[in-house]
Amino acid sequence: MSEERVIYEPKAIEAKWQQVWADERTWEVANPGQPGFDDSKPKSYVLEMLPYPSGEPHVGHLKCYAVGDAIAHFRRRHGFEVIHPMGYDSFGLPAENNAIKTGEPPQVATERSIASFQRQFREWGISIDWSRELATHTPEYYRWTQWIFLQLFEKGLAYRTEAPVQWCPKDATVLANEQVVDGRCERCGTEVVQRKLWQWFFRITEYADRLLADFDRLESWPEHVITMQRNWIGRSEGAEVVFRCEEPELDFPVFTTRPDTLFGATFFALAPEHPELMRLVEGTPAEEEVREYVNRVGRESAEERGAEDREKTGVPLGRSVVNPVNGEQIPMFVADYVLMEYGTGALMAVPGHDSRDYAFAQKFGLPVKRVIEGSDPEVAIDDEGLPYPGDGPMTGSGRFDGKGNREAYTEIVDWLASEGRGETAVNFRLRDWLVSRQRYWGAPIPVVYCDACGEDGTAAIVPVPDDQLPVELPEVEDYAPQGKSPLAAAEDWVATECPRCGGPARRETDTMDTFVDSSWYFIRYLDPRNGEAAWDRAAAEHWLPVDQYIGGVEHAILHLMYARFFTKALADLGSLGVQEPFANLFTQGMITRDGAKMSKSRGNTVNPGEYVERYGADTARTYVCFMGPPERGGDWTDEGVEGVNRFLARLWRLCAEVEEKTVAGEVPDGELDGPARELRAKAHWAIDKATRDFQRGFQFNTVISAVMELVNDSYRLKDDLLAGRAEGGAVLRFATATAASLVFPFAPHLGAEIWERLQGGRVWEQSWPEADPALLVGDTVTLIVQVNGKLRDRIEADPEASKEDLLALARASEKVANYLDGKEVVKEIVVPGKLVNLVVR
RNA sequence: GCCGGAGUGGCGGAAUUGGCAUACGCGAUCGACUCAAAAUCGAUUGCCCUUGCGGGCUUGUGGGUUCGAGUCCCACCUCCGGCACCA
């Protein structure tokens, strides 16, 4: 090279290696029993959440796959057989909304977007096993989504019922509870309204306890994700207690976490949606007012009703129930602070010890009764110190008076249980998963309705038999929902034959929530071309669970909980041998720009393709890993990208010079001195640091900074090394190749190229380098000398020096002597190899 | 309100077990190269006082433990995320 300038041109390097990986199918792995299966290696399943293909990949995708790919490479080079597949979560609303707007069929836009993702994943050099690629919108895939649905149906885990559900008027579909955020549709932000509709549900509530208990089976999940799921499931222990209404004769069970306050119940409230409500008031003077109230509440949005400082409202029913602990008649109300979705839709109100009941009692002039001694000034409103939510001795509670409320709690429940009027109970906030959608672009729910097979004028639900799957999406003209699924318009498709009796029947026209598709894709990757079964049991057995899952924290509740539920249900069905799908979870933080979340409307989006074009994929990938700890967010800056590009270019130029001026060969592992000794030690330090930080929670930012230090030192020492003996050149070559080897998981093209030039062969076939522990100990250590805890001198010392030697060294320091002058040393602290602290008076 | 997480230079961040605070990168300043610029290479860069030598201060705030605290304990402030009339 000599005078000619060496320029880092990533385009050529990247194209070269991408071609190698494609031609040689480098990242493909075989299943047990297939040719090429390597049973000598332990397996590792590294998986990033599959992308939703809408438009072009954005910078969040780049980060997710850059992080996952680094992990995959690291594991491969630690001797693992790594399975690292990719697919597309390709059903869903955006493609359909686009279709409504433009008339372009959703499959066309979806497949165009998939092509763009495929191209960019290849341009980014992500090490994907392309032989396992899948897309959830293809009949080959959703055939098995439908099969799983039917398995759940047979087991009673999928069911159809009429229930009040959240309806998004804009998207004209129902939503799962999890998809309603602050009373608004998660996707479009429209306020949702409640409707009573016939819908399909998955019985996830049956798994609530196991979803909680099995957090213990996970190896490593971020604590906050577990906490969020735990809160979402919302398990409360308490009691179910029956309050009897004598006129009309009806039993009203309630759930309470405070059976110890039963003697303080002074009224009783029902949710406006309570099924027995109208029966209670029919033909009474209260009927009119109650009906109006219920209608008014029904018109309100979930957001209005859930508003924080909302004043309590309600209407007396003119009826009463009997408190089972003391026989008192207490008045009944309908009140909208009672939620039909939680507990039994009815509650016993204890205004003395619950602030909401207290507020209601105040408004309606109802009695407030103290049954537990004590006061909490933080919440107490009145002079009596009520309401009081805390613990204390019982009062006003008959024979329980004087006992601690915790003790009374158990006794009251036992007593009610013996009388058959109550029992301990557990309640969950978690609701069953509403999976039907009145939309086009999803997997059809594979059932038909047959009048002939039904009874009492209701049609029978008949599952579509396995050999008739998939139930393929029909083509339609108009994708716009009309309050019912657009599939309903495909009349030829809807009209079918009953698989049971052969008579005329109608297909279900709802499709499945796309979260159903993504709840099992990680299993399909293991056997993606299987036309006979959803997966081969042996393949699933071998690869599962996912050893490392990587994705955005926004899926902490929805996707991750649904996938856990599916895994457990499929295990119960005998189709899987694991209880948890994802042993380790890593959630990457969001990249912002100018301190704000990227959005088209704000105009602060980053198109990764542009940066890949300008600086190369290696720079873009390394940058997102270097910005900060990957689990945290970070702000994208062009200067930062340039800095990383500068570093890679610097490494590239170093390689060029080393290639020209040194010869390939082993590093002398014997005695070295001077810069050769120093740089060899630095290389081993970098190996050690990079390896530990990689393992310690994927701290890629410091892994990369260690490689930067190695490159910086190589520059600093290279002229000396090249001018000196041959060993110097060998060490420089070793240091440069080591830098390439360590940076490979982030910048795979450059890493591969430099390794090939300097050492020959494929870097990904090399074991991850190991630091020689003997070289990690320096020739000297810097002894910190403190006087009264303040740094006064640094002295180079022998790492093996004894405490006495170190003390003598410290006392011999002139700088230290100034501070000891005329003072008495009262204490000497010596930490061998580190510091001496002299305490003087 | 409840439950998490975080506060370190001009900026992103580092600091492994309680032991050199500010690694690495960005930005800035200066120098070399150049007619010049860019690129590159090298140097400097926490704050304050000081011509210099040198000294003092510094990890959101206040206290504590310790020979020694960014790190541990107590109280508080601020920001971010999640949940929120859940009986």
Side-chain angles (χ1 to χ4, degrees):
Chain A
M1 63 148 216
S2 55
E3 294 312 304
E4 210 168 304
R5 289 268 315 285
V6 175
I7 298 169
Y8 170 47
E9 282 172 304
K11 269 223 174 80
I13 300 171
E14 294 182 359
K16 168 184 164 183
W17 291 102
Q18 283 160 21
Q19 195 62 50
V20 169
W21 298 329
D23 290 347
E24 300 184 6
R25 303 169 162 226
T26 314
W27 316 119
E28 291 185 15
V29 291
N31 278 355
Q34 289 178 339
F37 175 69
D38 186 347
D39 63 354
S40 67
K41 291 182 181 174
K43 69 94 185 179
S44 188
Y45 190 172
V46 177
L47 182 66
E48 300 95 48
M49 291 179 186
L50 86 177
Y52 177 78
S54 167
E56 302 265 311
H58 54 73
V59 73
H61 292 114
L62 175 68
K63 180 167 179 182
C64 182
Y65 301 111
V67 166
D69 207 39
I71 295 169
H73 279 310
F74 189 75
R75 297 246 165 118
R76 285 190 191 100
R77 293 183 60 197
H78 276 86
F80 288 93
E81 182 81 340
V82 170
I83 184 170
H84 188 221
M86 181 60 74
Y88 312 94
D89 186 15
S90 40
F91 269 139
L93 273 181
E96 186 169 352
N97 287 341
N98 172 66
I100 294 164
K101 217 181 327 168
T102 66
E104 182 180 50
Q107 43 274 65
V108 175
T110 299
E111 278 160 21
R112 187 173 56 234
S113 177
I114 286 175
S116 167
F117 274 77
Q118 286 169 328
R119 184 176 51 79
Q120 297 214 33
F121 287 151
R122 287 192 162 90
E123 285 176 2
W124 297 350
I126 310 290
S127 62
I128 293 162
D129 179 348
W130 288 106
S131 73
R132 296 172 184 271
E133 188 183 21
L134 59 79
T136 61
H137 76 289
T138 57
E140 297 75 42
Y141 182 87
Y142 70 69
R143 182 212 148 121
W144 300 109
T145 307
Q146 292 173 337
W147 175 82
I148 293 171
F149 180 96
L150 293 174
Q151 294 290 304
L152 297 177
F153 179 69
E154 263 174 48
K155 259 266 177 165
L157 291 172
Y159 64 95
R160 190 168 181 262
T161 191
E162 189 180 29
V165 295
Q166 314 283 352
W167 172 269
C168 172
K170 170 111 181 293
D171 288 335
T173 184
V174 296
L175 299 169
N177 259 27
E178 289 80 356
Q179 289 162 330
V180 179
V181 177
D182 293 335
R184 289 168 181 275
C185 171
E186 178 194 49
R187 285 219 172 270
C188 68
T190 309
E191 280 191 10
V192 302
V193 294
Q194 275 215 345
R195 281 205 184 176
K196 206 168 177 190
L197 293 167
W198 281 93
Q199 296 293 331
W200 284 95
F201 293 86
F202 285 160
R203 218 178 283 282
I204 190 171
T205 52
E206 189 152 302
Y207 286 77
D209 266 322
R210 281 165 67 187
L211 288 167
L212 284 173
D214 287 356
F215 287 131
D216 293 345
R217 291 177 186 250
L218 304 173
E219 282 171 41
S220 162
W221 272 41
E223 203 49 51
H224 67 278
V225 172
I226 293 178
T227 305
M228 279 163 68
Q229 285 203 10
R230 192 168 271 139
N231 291 343
W232 188 265
I233 295 167
R235 186 180 197 273
S236 317
E237 289 188 6
E240 191 161 295
V241 181
V242 180
F243 283 67
R244 167 153 295 188
C245 175
E246 287 165 345
E247 181 56 43
E249 209 170 287
L250 280 171
D251 275 349
F252 288 95
V254 298
F255 174 74
T256 176
T257 54
R258 295 295 304 275
D260 50 324
T261 64
L262 262 162
F263 286 88
T266 59
F267 65 99
F268 192 91
L270 296 177
E273 301 83 4
H274 198 285
E276 307 287 4
L277 178 63
M278 293 321 291
R279 248 180 92 183
L280 283 165
V281 292
E282 228 158 46
T284 74
E287 179 175 358
E288 189 58 31
E289 205 188 337
V290 169
R291 199 175 291 280
E292 267 174 33
Y293 180 77
V294 169
N295 285 340
R296 182 154 55 85
V297 171
R299 280 194 303 273
E300 290 186 322
S301 69
E303 191 179 29
E304 286 171 312
R305 187 167 162 187
E308 197 173 341
D309 312 322
R310 186 181 166 92
E311 208 179 321
K312 294 278 177 291
T313 62
V315 176
L317 302 183
R319 300 287 190 183
S320 60
V321 286
V322 178
N323 185 339
V325 293
N326 57 12
E328 269 177 30
Q329 296 274 349
I330 55 175
M332 298 180 84
F333 288 80
V334 55
D336 69 356
Y337 79 97
V338 186
L339 308 174
M340 194 58 222
E341 314 85 83
Y342 189 78
T344 61
L347 60 81
M348 64 165 208
V350 184
H353 302 279
D354 180 283
S355 58
R356 296 152 304 175
D357 297 344
Y358 186 89
F360 191 92
Q362 287 275 291
K363 179 142 179 209
F364 287 84
L366 296 161
V368 178
K369 189 178 165 194
R370 176 187 280 284
V371 289
I372 292 171
E373 307 274 10
S375 171
D376 179 352
E378 294 273 309
V379 280
I381 295 168
D382 65 16
D383 300 339
E384 314 282 317
L386 294 176
Y388 171 58
D391 294 324
M394 304 284 288
T395 180
S397 299
R399 61 193 170 89
F400 299 98
D401 283 1
K403 292 187 169 158
N405 68 306
R406 302 278 176 123
E407 188 189 344
Y409 177 115
T410 323
E411 289 182 19
I412 289 172
V413 174
D414 289 349
W415 168 49
L416 286 171
S418 71
E419 305 251 310
R421 293 193 224 186
E423 57 189 349
T424 57
V426 172
N427 226 297
F428 294 95
R429 211 191 78 108
L430 182 70
R431 308 264 56 88
D432 273 343
W433 174 14
L434 169 47
V435 295
S436 42
R437 296 289 180 276
Q438 291 71 53
R439 299 297 303 243
Y440 175 76
W441 193 229
I445 292 175
V447 302
V448 304
Y449 298 99
C450 174
D451 289 326
C453 293
E455 287 171 16
D456 313 329
T458 6
I461 299 173
V462 182
V464 174
D466 269 6
D467 61 8
Q468 291 177 29
L469 296 181
V471 175
E472 287 203 42
L473 265 180
E475 286 184 16
V476 299
E477 298 277 305
D478 184 5
Y479 301 101
Q482 325 277 340
K484 56 183 180 177
S485 169
L487 298 189
E491 285 164 23
D492 291 351
W493 177 85
V494 173
T496 186
E497 235 176 49
C498 172
R500 193 175 294 163
C501 70
R506 301 177 314 281
R507 289 194 187 278
E508 169 63 80
T509 57
D510 284 358
T511 54
M512 284 185 242
D513 180 5
T514 51
F515 278 106
V516 179
D517 308 324
S518 57
S519 292
W520 72 283
Y521 76 104
F522 52 92
I523 316 172
R524 183 66 179 172
Y525 279 142
L526 307 177
D527 194 14
R529 307 287 169 256
N530 195 331
E532 305 300 312
W535 55 81
D536 172 56
R537 180 72 198 258
E541 214 56 12
H542 175 72
W543 293 111
L544 288 177
V546 172
D547 295 280
Q548 185 63 58
Y549 201 32
I550 300 118
V553 73
E554 63 273 18
H555 294 109
I557 297 174
L558 291 158
H559 163 61
L560 289 168
M561 202 172 62
Y562 294 150
R564 294 181 64 217
F565 159 62
F566 257 49
T567 302
K568 290 176 192 308
L570 290 165
D572 288 355
L573 288 160
S575 300
L576 281 184
V578 291
Q579 288 292 326
E580 284 291 334
F582 314 122
N584 297 283
L585 174 68
F586 183 84
T587 53
Q588 100 253 9
M590 195 173 45
I591 297 178
T592 57
R593 185 169 212 187
D594 308 322
K597 192 174 170 174
M598 292 182 197
S599 74
K600 288 202 180 98
S601 58
R602 208 180 268 115
N604 63 342
T605 54
V606 170
N607 176 0
E610 277 174 32
Y611 287 85
V612 170
E613 176 67 24
R614 196 172 340 150
Y615 299 101
D618 285 339
T619 292
R621 294 178 54 161
T622 307
Y623 174 62
V624 293
C625 291
F626 180 66
M627 293 171 80
E631 75 275 13
R632 298 233 293 262
D635 206 54
W636 180 284
T637 64
D638 287 0
E639 291 79 10
V641 180
E642 280 168 23
V644 167
N645 186 247
R646 215 151 25 224
F647 155 64
L648 294 180
R650 213 163 131 81
L651 175 58
W652 176 245
R653 288 192 305 271
L654 178 65
C655 164
E657 190 172 353
V658 168
E659 193 186 2
E660 187 196 271
K661 297 183 180 167
T662 71
V663 292
E666 290 299 303
V667 195
D669 55 359
E671 285 300 307
L672 292 173
D673 52 24
R677 185 179 177 83
E678 189 182 343
L679 189 61
R680 182 178 64 179
K682 186 69 180 187
H684 282 269
W685 169 86
I687 292 167
D688 180 63
K689 165 92 176 151
T691 308
R692 278 187 297 117
D693 288 356
F694 214 117
Q695 284 160 342
R696 196 160 52 101
F698 311 125
Q699 280 192 38
F700 297 154
N701 51 331
T702 56
V703 173
I704 295 163
S705 77
V707 184
M708 287 172 167
E709 284 195 50
L710 176 58
V711 171
N712 288 348
D713 277 12
S714 299
Y715 266 79
R716 185 166 57 79
L717 299 170
K718 76 178 158 63
D719 289 345
D720 281 355
L721 290 166
L722 291 171
R725 282 171 296 176
E727 288 156 8
V731 168
L732 186 61
R733 189 174 271 253
F734 165 71
T736 310
T738 298
S741 173
L742 296 176
V743 88
F744 169 77
F746 313 102
H749 313 86
L750 184 66
E753 180 69 23
I754 294 179
W755 184 268
E756 187 186 56
R757 282 167 184 256
L758 299 186
Q759 306 289 45
R762 271 78 195 272
V763 69
W764 61 86
E765 290 167 5
Q766 304 293 316
S767 291
W768 189 254
E770 276 183 51
D772 180 347
L775 296 175
L776 294 176
V777 187
D779 301 325
T780 61
V781 291
T782 307
L783 181 71
I784 305 308
V785 186
Q786 299 178 329
V787 178
N788 285 349
K790 293 206 176 197
L791 175 71
R792 294 305 177 192
D793 201 3
R794 295 166 213 217
I795 304 169
E796 289 306 308
D798 187 327
E800 303 291 312
S802 68
K803 283 192 173 192
E804 289 71 26
D805 295 344
L806 293 175
L807 253 174
L809 240 112
R811 281 174 175 279
S813 156
E814 235 174 85
K815 288 180 185 167
V816 169
N818 293 337
Y819 291 91
L820 299 185
D821 198 29
K823 304 234 172 74
E824 183 198 350
V825 175
V826 293
K827 196 162 183 180
E828 295 164 330
I829 314 281
V830 182
V831 182
K834 270 202 181 129
L835 104 175
V836 170
N837 186 13
L838 301 172
V839 185
V840 302
R841 203 161 44 200

